[in-house]
Amino acid sequence: AQKVTQAQTEISVVEKEDVTLDCVYETRDTTYYLFWYKQPPSGELVFLIRRNSFDEQNEISGRYSWNFQKSTSSFNFTITASQVVDSAVYFCALSEKDQFYFGTGTSLTVIP
Amino acid sequence: DAMVIQNPRYQVTQFGKPVTLSCSQTLNHNVMYWYQQKSSQAPKLLFHYYDKDFNNEADTPDNFQSRRPNTSFCFLDIRSPGLGDAAMYLCATSRVQGYQPQHFGDGTRLSIL
């Protein structure tokens, strides 16, 4: 069974539109961490955020915001007023103890 | 700046010719990981070192080996590359294993002729 599901394989938006990337996870652990990474065309994986299972507060960082809902096992990522530089593949990940699971990624294209 | 550095950025080798990819880190992290990432797929963990302890994933082919001579360096050796080994290889580090963000290098894109 997939531990982390990113149902959106590809998304295209026009610049300045808002876009939400979905992430659903599966775990039986009470302690776990969730992450988002960005992988631009150049290839490196850039760490964006880590959230632990006990902290359901939403977080905002500039144009980025994250919505963590344990009730639906979701950790969604919203980019407000998207820009061309946001074009990348975005991976959601789950860490249980010493295991780390990536989702399959969502490829975001922002059209100028 | 503290970082994870992978060399080379692009590597071309011939079918069956051994190749070594290198990774170094200035973060002084205890754990170093090697991932294989094929086009449009998530990174797949090959193995990792926790200090000097080597941990191989069950489905990592024997063709792939790794060495970690010291805290800062880790190498990925592919003994006899096949066409299916063409991929991006990502090195990552974390302070400890579990719950910690992994910090990635820029990757080495390996092509097989």
Side-chain angles (χ1 to χ4, degrees):
Chain A
Q2 190 74 16
K3 282 282 198 178
V4 180
T5 301
Q6 295 180 255
Q8 305 149 307
T9 306
E10 296 182 0
I11 301 176
S12 292
V13 297
V14 177
E15 199 171 22
K16 297 184 183 178
E17 285 184 348
D18 299 347
V19 59
T20 295
L21 310 182
D22 298 333
C23 174
V24 174
Y25 62 93
E26 180 184 331
T27 181
R28 293 184 179 181
D29 288 7
T30 54
T31 301
Y32 55 89
Y33 282 75
L34 297 162
F35 304 81
W36 274 96
Y37 284 85
K38 174 182 179 180
Q39 188 174 38
S42 50
E44 75 277 21
L45 273 159
V46 179
F47 165 68
L48 296 178
I49 189 172
R50 178 181 74 157
R51 176 53 52 88
N52 76 59
S53 53
F54 301 106
D55 182 4
E56 284 194 75
Q57 279 196 354
N58 292 332
E59 181 156 343
I60 299 174
S61 176
R63 295 184 298 107
Y64 294 171
S65 63
W66 291 269
N67 183 290
F68 176 28
Q69 291 195 350
K70 289 178 76 171
S71 60
T72 55
S73 297
S74 65
F75 186 44
N76 296 337
F77 173 29
T78 298
I79 302 174
T80 303
S82 59
Q83 300 176 1
V84 173
V85 293
D86 296 327
S87 296
V89 180
Y90 290 86
F91 289 97
C92 180
L94 163 72
S95 179
E96 298 174 330
K97 299 183 184 73
D98 58 356
Q99 296 296 314
F100 204 89
Y101 305 96
F102 280 99
T104 50
T106 297
S107 177
L108 173 65
T109 301
V110 180
I111 304 165
Chain B
D1 289 342
M3 59 179 64
V4 180
I5 302 167
Q6 289 188 244
N7 284 307
R9 192 80 171 88
Y10 300 93
Q11 176 74 55
V12 181
T13 192
Q14 291 179 332
F15 182 94
K17 185 174 181 181
V19 64
T20 295
L21 310 182
S22 74
C23 177
S24 64
Q25 55 130 342
T26 59
L27 296 159
N28 204 33
H29 282 173
N30 295 308
V31 192
M32 295 187 78
Y33 308 81
W34 278 105
Y35 287 87
Q36 179 192 66
Q37 186 181 26
K38 296 190 175 180
S39 182
S40 303
Q41 295 183 19
K44 178 181 181 299
L45 182 64
L46 295 173
F47 26 58
H48 72 273
Y49 275 94
Y50 196 130
D51 292 330
K52 295 182 179 180
D53 292 334
F54 177 69
N55 298 272
N56 200 28
E57 293 300 299
D59 56 354
T60 298
D62 293 340
N63 200 23
F64 291 85
Q65 304 286 321
S66 186
R67 297 169 282 136
R68 188 178 186 186
N70 53 52
T71 301
S72 301
F73 285 87
C74 195
F75 300 97
L76 169 61
D77 301 308
I78 308 177
R79 292 190 298 187
S80 182
L83 296 179
D85 297 328
M88 173 75 90
Y89 289 88
L90 294 162
C91 174
T93 72
S94 64
R95 189 170 58 81
V96 293
Q97 194 176 0
Y99 304 146
Q100 297 293 315
Q102 295 182 17
H103 299 270
F104 287 81
D106 289 347
T108 294
R109 188 168 296 281
L110 178 66
S111 299
I112 313 294
L113 299 180

